[in-house]
Amino acid sequence: MTDTQPPLAGIRVLDVSTVLAAPVTATFLGDFGADVVKVEEPGRGDFTRGGAGQDAPGARSLQWVQEGRNKKSVTLDLRTERGQGLLRDLVPHFDVVVTNYRPPTLEKWGLGPDALRALNPRAVIVCLTGYGLTGPFRDRGAFDRIASAYSGLTYVSGDPDRPPVRSGYSVIDYMAAYMAAFATITALYHRDLRGGQGQIVDLALYEAGFRASENALITHSSTGDVRERLGNRNPHIAPASDFDTADGRRVSVHAGTDPLFRRLVHAMGRPDLVDDERFAERAQRLRNQEQLYDIVGAWVEGLDADDVVTLLNDVGVPSAPLMNVADIAADRHYRERGTITEVHDEYHGDLLMPAPLPHLSATPGSIRSLGAALGEHTDEVLADILGLDADAVAELRAEGVV
């Protein structure tokens, strides 16, 4: 049974950001009921509207259709004094302001975090910048690739005999968005249930990747060791890797504990390996992992991927195929669980996209609208929130302010 009222209903979010973590933060909040107003540059709009530099129908790329969902679009030229003034007028009406402009840019416009908080002491000002609001590199810009490099994530990704590689997705952008959304909800909780005021959330993009670096730093501080690239291997767990199958696919297998190892070798028809002095205990498996991987790999490559995954999961050994996006689109677990959902767009037709996540039993997220047309809600927002009449908005439009 679900409640009819979404959990963030009544929370107003002003999205003054572009590409990618900060606006996705606002998307996550909008998925759970927040009223999100997206500020975009007149005539151009958000970078993601163009779809990787290509023309998109109605300036609504597929990426924009997804990440612009549950938002109203307002155009406002923040490079103009009147545009900056209008943003100042809007800020007092919002609970949350999300931005990712570099600190010098915001300060030049008179819209730095302290200035925004002065306009609305109860607002949560979310600043998701490349290097944060403090420190010697605060003025530098960054994107996911740069943050991945600086966080240490890129360095440890890839095979040991090859140069490091970045993740195939903008992982840090989305990790940072979830961290920022968590921080926003925490700050709102403090404000609304603990009698607090608003506050500034200061999150550097690289910090999301750094926080995912497991025990690398504490180990280095103790032993001096530096985590290096290990490909698909884990330095402390074996067997746990990916293997080729008979049908030309790959599967991932994790049997790094003693009970899982016993289940694996029985499934392989090799119970003798349990008592093999090379593999009987975890420390021995780590020392002799190359021999172990040769044995497991030879068994896996004699079977089709689906057969390996079914056989191992049936005996309690975690295993999964390496999925591409076509596999995901056709996967019955994704569909039946509701990890992906189908929507219809007037330009693009029927589409699949990630559902609002995570799943909440009483107040699940929802997709109430897809990425709006550029400036679709400018007149509405300026009239409803600031009380501007049609003539005033027309004047602003003629001057290129909206």
Side-chain angles (χ1 to χ4, degrees):
M1 183 176 179
T2 60
D3 295 340
T4 56
Q5 187 86 322
L8 297 183
I11 297 296
R12 280 180 166 176
V13 177
L14 190 60
D15 177 2
V16 192
S17 63
T18 185
V19 198
L20 184 62
V24 172
T25 300
T27 302
F28 289 158
L29 298 173
D31 282 352
F32 290 91
D35 182 10
V36 182
V37 173
K38 167 81 172 178
V39 175
E40 302 186 69
E41 184 178 353
R44 297 182 63 183
D46 191 90
F47 177 85
T48 59
R49 281 185 175 274
Q54 300 174 356
D55 291 334
R60 295 174 67 256
S61 70
L62 291 169
Q63 185 178 23
W64 172 257
V65 168
Q66 175 175 296
E67 304 306 356
R69 72 192 189 193
N70 295 331
K71 298 183 182 183
K72 296 177 179 178
S73 172
V74 171
T75 52
L76 203 58
D77 189 347
L78 297 179
R79 294 179 177 84
T80 66
E81 290 188 7
R82 291 196 71 179
Q84 296 160 10
L86 286 169
L87 186 70
R88 293 190 192 95
D89 292 340
L90 286 170
V91 167
H93 299 274
F94 286 82
D95 300 281
V96 180
V97 180
V98 180
T99 184
N100 63 349
Y101 287 100
R102 298 186 196 187
T105 301
L106 290 174
E107 290 160 4
K108 181 178 67 175
W109 293 343
L111 298 170
D114 291 328
L116 293 173
R117 188 155 187 264
L119 292 168
N120 184 355
R122 284 184 54 77
V124 176
I125 311 298
V126 182
C127 298
L128 211 176
T129 57
Y131 291 86
L133 299 177
T134 61
F137 300 154
R138 68 185 288 271
D139 293 351
R140 294 182 179 181
F143 294 98
D144 181 276
R145 175 181 295 276
I146 305 305
S148 182
Y150 191 69
S151 72
L153 182 60
T154 302
Y155 182 82
V156 298
S157 300
D159 293 319
D161 58 345
R162 301 178 118 184
V165 293
R166 171 187 172 269
S167 170
Y169 290 122
S170 297
V171 173
I172 288 187
D173 275 331
Y174 284 83
M175 290 169 58
Y178 272 119
M179 288 184 73
F182 163 76
T184 301
I185 300 303
T186 302
L188 289 172
Y189 182 91
H190 169 74
R191 185 194 74 175
D192 295 341
L193 285 103
R194 291 291 182 263
Q197 287 290 305
Q199 57 184 298
I200 297 169
V201 174
D202 176 9
L203 177 63
L205 192 60
Y206 75 86
E207 288 172 331
F210 168 70
R211 189 59 184 89
S213 61
E214 301 176 6
N215 62 329
L217 178 62
I218 194 170
T219 298
H220 172 71
S221 69
S222 175
T223 67
D225 290 346
V226 174
R227 179 77 70 90
E228 298 290 345
R229 292 179 297 287
L230 296 167
N232 287 314
R233 306 287 175 83
N234 185 306
H236 308 296
I237 300 172
S241 190
D242 300 338
F243 303 90
D244 293 322
T245 60
D247 54 351
R249 299 171 66 192
R250 281 175 72 81
V251 297
S252 185
V253 177
H254 191 306
T257 67
D258 289 338
L260 290 177
F261 179 69
R262 287 193 291 269
R263 294 174 195 170
L264 171 65
V265 296
H266 277 85
M268 293 169 53
R270 292 293 309 275
D272 57 294
L273 295 177
V274 172
D275 299 317
D276 190 311
E277 64 180 11
R278 297 172 298 172
F279 313 128
E281 296 180 0
R282 176 182 172 186
Q284 295 166 320
R285 292 195 294 274
L286 289 175
R287 283 195 298 269
N288 299 291
Q289 60 181 278
E290 293 301 329
Q291 299 169 60
L292 178 58
Y293 279 122
D294 286 343
I295 294 170
V296 176
W299 174 74
V300 172
E301 70 181 8
L303 299 170
D304 288 347
D306 290 342
D307 294 334
V308 174
V309 170
T310 299
L311 176 62
L312 292 183
N313 279 288
D314 282 350
V315 297
V317 176
S319 177
L322 272 63
M323 306 275 277
N324 63 32
V325 73
D327 298 325
I328 289 170
D331 187 77
R332 64 188 180 93
H333 184 82
Y334 272 84
R335 294 291 191 112
E336 292 178 21
R337 176 168 164 75
T339 307
I340 60 178
T341 189
E342 186 171 326
V343 299
H344 181 80
D345 181 74
E346 61 176 323
Y347 288 103
H348 298 286
D350 294 333
L351 301 168
L352 297 177
M353 67 171 57
L357 298 171
H359 306 280
L360 274 64
S361 62
T363 55
S366 64
I367 300 172
R368 302 175 302 282
S369 64
L370 301 176
L374 179 60
E376 180 178 343
H377 304 93
T378 300
D379 293 42
E380 171 192 332
V381 169
L382 295 183
D384 291 350
I385 295 181
L386 299 185
L388 300 184
D389 60 25
D391 290 340
V393 176
E395 179 183 342
L396 290 170
R397 187 165 283 116
E399 294 179 5
V401 177
V402 302

mmCIF file of all heavy atoms in Angstrom, residues 8-34:
data_model
loop_
_atom_site.group_PDB
_atom_site.id
_atom_site.type_symbol
_atom_site.label_atom_id
_atom_site.label_comp_id
_atom_site.label_asym_id
_atom_site.label_seq_id
_atom_site.Cartn_x
_atom_site.Cartn_y
_atom_site.Cartn_z
ATOM 1 N N LEU A 8 8.455 14.220 -0.548
ATOM 2 C CA LEU A 8 9.040 15.563 -0.628
ATOM 3 C C LEU A 8 8.057 16.588 -1.172
ATOM 4 O O LEU A 8 8.462 17.688 -1.580
ATOM 5 C CB LEU A 8 10.310 15.531 -1.490
ATOM 6 C CG LEU A 8 11.451 14.666 -0.967
ATOM 7 C CD1 LEU A 8 12.674 14.781 -1.866
ATOM 8 C CD2 LEU A 8 11.811 15.036 0.475
ATOM 9 N N ALA A 9 6.767 16.235 -1.177
ATOM 10 C CA ALA A 9 5.755 17.200 -1.618
ATOM 11 C C ALA A 9 5.840 18.449 -0.749
ATOM 12 O O ALA A 9 5.969 18.384 0.471
ATOM 13 C CB ALA A 9 4.370 16.579 -1.527
ATOM 14 N N GLY A 10 5.797 19.620 -1.402
ATOM 15 C CA GLY A 10 5.878 20.876 -0.677
ATOM 16 C C GLY A 10 7.282 21.433 -0.558
ATOM 17 O O GLY A 10 7.465 22.586 -0.158
ATOM 18 N N ILE A 11 8.291 20.614 -0.901
ATOM 19 C CA ILE A 11 9.675 21.097 -0.894
ATOM 20 C C ILE A 11 9.992 21.684 -2.263
ATOM 21 O O ILE A 11 9.849 21.020 -3.290
ATOM 22 C CB ILE A 11 10.668 19.963 -0.577
ATOM 23 C CG1 ILE A 11 10.425 19.419 0.831
ATOM 24 C CG2 ILE A 11 12.105 20.439 -0.733
ATOM 25 C CD1 ILE A 11 10.677 20.410 1.943
ATOM 26 N N ARG A 12 10.393 22.944 -2.266
ATOM 27 C CA ARG A 12 10.729 23.612 -3.527
ATOM 28 C C ARG A 12 12.239 23.612 -3.735
ATOM 29 O O ARG A 12 13.005 23.984 -2.841
ATOM 30 C CB ARG A 12 10.226 25.054 -3.517
ATOM 31 C CG ARG A 12 8.747 25.219 -3.818
ATOM 32 C CD ARG A 12 8.395 26.681 -3.786
ATOM 33 N NE ARG A 12 7.096 26.956 -4.381
ATOM 34 C CZ ARG A 12 6.525 28.152 -4.399
ATOM 35 N NH1 ARG A 12 7.157 29.194 -3.864
ATOM 36 N NH2 ARG A 12 5.346 28.333 -4.962
ATOM 37 N N VAL A 13 12.657 23.211 -4.935
ATOM 38 C CA VAL A 13 14.076 23.118 -5.271
ATOM 39 C C VAL A 13 14.359 23.999 -6.481
ATOM 40 O O VAL A 13 13.699 23.876 -7.512
ATOM 41 C CB VAL A 13 14.473 21.659 -5.591
ATOM 42 C CG1 VAL A 13 15.948 21.586 -6.005
ATOM 43 C CG2 VAL A 13 14.208 20.747 -4.399
ATOM 44 N N LEU A 14 15.350 24.863 -6.359
ATOM 45 C CA LEU A 14 15.791 25.717 -7.460
ATOM 46 C C LEU A 14 17.089 25.136 -8.009
ATOM 47 O O LEU A 14 18.120 25.128 -7.326
ATOM 48 C CB LEU A 14 16.003 27.146 -6.979
ATOM 49 C CG LEU A 14 16.234 28.221 -8.042
ATOM 50 C CD1 LEU A 14 15.052 28.316 -9.002
ATOM 51 C CD2 LEU A 14 16.506 29.576 -7.387
ATOM 52 N N ASP A 15 17.033 24.631 -9.228
ATOM 53 C CA ASP A 15 18.164 23.961 -9.861
ATOM 54 C C ASP A 15 18.902 24.970 -10.734
ATOM 55 O O ASP A 15 18.466 25.294 -11.835
ATOM 56 C CB ASP A 15 17.649 22.779 -10.676
ATOM 57 C CG ASP A 15 18.744 22.038 -11.440
ATOM 58 O OD1 ASP A 15 19.918 22.417 -11.321
ATOM 59 O OD2 ASP A 15 18.403 21.081 -12.163
ATOM 60 N N VAL A 16 20.033 25.463 -10.234
ATOM 61 C CA VAL A 16 20.834 26.453 -10.956
ATOM 62 C C VAL A 16 22.168 25.791 -11.291
ATOM 63 O O VAL A 16 23.218 26.126 -10.759
ATOM 64 C CB VAL A 16 21.059 27.719 -10.105
ATOM 65 C CG1 VAL A 16 21.631 28.854 -10.963
ATOM 66 C CG2 VAL A 16 19.772 28.167 -9.436
ATOM 67 N N SER A 17 22.123 24.816 -12.189
ATOM 68 C CA SER A 17 23.311 24.010 -12.436
ATOM 69 C C SER A 17 23.243 23.384 -13.817
ATOM 70 O O SER A 17 22.215 23.442 -14.499
ATOM 71 C CB SER A 17 23.426 22.904 -11.373
ATOM 72 O OG SER A 17 22.329 22.014 -11.451
ATOM 73 N N THR A 18 24.363 22.775 -14.211
ATOM 74 C CA THR A 18 24.414 22.100 -15.506
ATOM 75 C C THR A 18 25.473 21.006 -15.460
ATOM 76 O O THR A 18 26.447 21.099 -14.699
ATOM 77 C CB THR A 18 24.718 23.108 -16.640
ATOM 78 O OG1 THR A 18 24.637 22.443 -17.902
ATOM 79 C CG2 THR A 18 26.080 23.742 -16.476
ATOM 80 N N VAL A 19 25.303 19.977 -16.186
ATOM 81 C CA VAL A 19 26.273 18.884 -16.416
ATOM 82 C C VAL A 19 27.114 18.511 -15.196
ATOM 83 O O VAL A 19 28.116 19.122 -14.959
ATOM 84 C CB VAL A 19 27.247 19.226 -17.558
ATOM 85 C CG1 VAL A 19 27.920 17.961 -18.051
ATOM 86 C CG2 VAL A 19 26.576 19.919 -18.711
ATOM 87 N N LEU A 20 26.884 17.493 -14.465
ATOM 88 C CA LEU A 20 25.807 16.538 -14.549
ATOM 89 C C LEU A 20 25.361 16.185 -13.136
ATOM 90 O O LEU A 20 24.207 15.913 -12.896
ATOM 91 C CB LEU A 20 26.240 15.281 -15.314
ATOM 92 C CG LEU A 20 25.198 14.201 -15.579
ATOM 93 C CD1 LEU A 20 24.060 14.721 -16.434
ATOM 94 C CD2 LEU A 20 25.832 13.013 -16.275
ATOM 95 N N ALA A 21 26.340 16.150 -12.194
ATOM 96 C CA ALA A 21 26.004 15.678 -10.853
ATOM 97 C C ALA A 21 24.972 16.571 -10.178
ATOM 98 O O ALA A 21 24.030 16.075 -9.551
ATOM 99 C CB ALA A 21 27.264 15.588 -10.001
ATOM 100 N N ALA A 22 25.144 17.881 -10.262
ATOM 101 C CA ALA A 22 24.232 18.789 -9.559
ATOM 102 C C ALA A 22 22.810 18.725 -10.109
ATOM 103 O O ALA A 22 21.851 18.593 -9.341
ATOM 104 C CB ALA A 22 24.780 20.213 -9.592
ATOM 105 N N PRO A 23 22.609 18.829 -11.435
ATOM 106 C CA PRO A 23 21.232 18.694 -11.916
ATOM 107 C C PRO A 23 20.615 17.336 -11.642
ATOM 108 O O PRO A 23 19.401 17.235 -11.418
ATOM 109 C CB PRO A 23 21.349 18.968 -13.417
ATOM 110 C CG PRO A 23 22.784 18.878 -13.758
ATOM 111 C CD PRO A 23 23.529 19.221 -12.516
ATOM 112 N N VAL A 24 21.427 16.265 -11.642
ATOM 113 C CA VAL A 24 20.875 14.949 -11.312
ATOM 114 C C VAL A 24 20.474 14.893 -9.838
ATOM 115 O O VAL A 24 19.506 14.216 -9.474
ATOM 116 C CB VAL A 24 21.870 13.837 -11.675
ATOM 117 C CG1 VAL A 24 21.396 12.484 -11.163
ATOM 118 C CG2 VAL A 24 22.063 13.763 -13.186
ATOM 119 N N THR A 25 21.185 15.622 -8.985
ATOM 120 C CA THR A 25 20.756 15.752 -7.591
ATOM 121 C C THR A 25 19.325 16.253 -7.522
ATOM 122 O O THR A 25 18.474 15.704 -6.805
ATOM 123 C CB THR A 25 21.680 16.715 -6.826
ATOM 124 O OG1 THR A 25 23.020 16.227 -6.845
ATOM 125 C CG2 THR A 25 21.218 16.895 -5.392
ATOM 126 N N ALA A 26 19.045 17.307 -8.287
ATOM 127 C CA ALA A 26 17.695 17.858 -8.310
ATOM 128 C C ALA A 26 16.699 16.870 -8.921
ATOM 129 O O ALA A 26 15.541 16.797 -8.504
ATOM 130 C CB ALA A 26 17.689 19.175 -9.082
ATOM 131 N N THR A 27 17.152 16.094 -9.904
ATOM 132 C CA THR A 27 16.293 15.068 -10.495
ATOM 133 C C THR A 27 15.894 14.035 -9.447
ATOM 134 O O THR A 27 14.716 13.644 -9.356
ATOM 135 C CB THR A 27 17.000 14.371 -11.669
ATOM 136 O OG1 THR A 27 17.371 15.341 -12.646
ATOM 137 C CG2 THR A 27 16.089 13.339 -12.320
ATOM 138 N N PHE A 28 16.852 13.583 -8.656
ATOM 139 C CA PHE A 28 16.556 12.599 -7.612
ATOM 140 C C PHE A 28 15.527 13.155 -6.628
ATOM 141 O O PHE A 28 14.613 12.442 -6.194
ATOM 142 C CB PHE A 28 17.825 12.210 -6.860
ATOM 143 C CG PHE A 28 18.781 11.373 -7.668
ATOM 144 C CD1 PHE A 28 20.128 11.315 -7.333
ATOM 145 C CD2 PHE A 28 18.352 10.629 -8.754
ATOM 146 C CE1 PHE A 28 21.012 10.534 -8.052
ATOM 147 C CE2 PHE A 28 19.235 9.837 -9.484
ATOM 148 C CZ PHE A 28 20.571 9.798 -9.131
ATOM 149 N N LEU A 29 15.666 14.421 -6.264
ATOM 150 C CA LEU A 29 14.711 15.030 -5.340
ATOM 151 C C LEU A 29 13.336 15.156 -5.995
ATOM 152 O O LEU A 29 12.305 14.909 -5.355
ATOM 153 C CB LEU A 29 15.223 16.405 -4.897
ATOM 154 C CG LEU A 29 16.555 16.399 -4.130
ATOM 155 C CD1 LEU A 29 17.047 17.818 -3.908
ATOM 156 C CD2 LEU A 29 16.429 15.664 -2.799
ATOM 157 N N GLY A 30 13.337 15.508 -7.277
ATOM 158 C CA GLY A 30 12.072 15.606 -7.995
ATOM 159 C C GLY A 30 11.369 14.274 -8.131
ATOM 160 O O GLY A 30 10.136 14.199 -8.108
ATOM 161 N N ASP A 31 12.129 13.198 -8.267
ATOM 162 C CA ASP A 31 11.539 11.865 -8.375
ATOM 163 C C ASP A 31 10.681 11.523 -7.162
ATOM 164 O O ASP A 31 9.743 10.726 -7.258
ATOM 165 C CB ASP A 31 12.635 10.803 -8.514
ATOM 166 C CG ASP A 31 13.217 10.730 -9.922
ATOM 167 O OD1 ASP A 31 12.679 11.381 -10.831
ATOM 168 O OD2 ASP A 31 14.226 10.016 -10.107
ATOM 169 N N PHE A 32 10.998 12.114 -6.026
ATOM 170 C CA PHE A 32 10.263 11.803 -4.806
ATOM 171 C C PHE A 32 9.372 12.959 -4.353
ATOM 172 O O PHE A 32 9.047 13.074 -3.178
ATOM 173 C CB PHE A 32 11.221 11.355 -3.712
ATOM 174 C CG PHE A 32 11.801 9.997 -4.002
ATOM 175 C CD1 PHE A 32 12.986 9.870 -4.706
ATOM 176 C CD2 PHE A 32 11.129 8.845 -3.629
ATOM 177 C CE1 PHE A 32 13.502 8.615 -5.013
ATOM 178 C CE2 PHE A 32 11.636 7.592 -3.928
ATOM 179 C CZ PHE A 32 12.818 7.468 -4.629
ATOM 180 N N GLY A 33 8.982 13.789 -5.322
ATOM 181 C CA GLY A 33 7.904 14.728 -5.068
ATOM 182 C C GLY A 33 8.276 16.176 -4.920
ATOM 183 O O GLY A 33 7.380 17.031 -4.829
ATOM 184 N N ALA A 34 9.571 16.510 -4.850
ATOM 185 C CA ALA A 34 9.939 17.920 -4.741
ATOM 186 C C ALA A 34 9.516 18.676 -5.991
ATOM 187 O O ALA A 34 9.506 18.142 -7.094
ATOM 188 C CB ALA A 34 11.446 18.062 -4.523
#
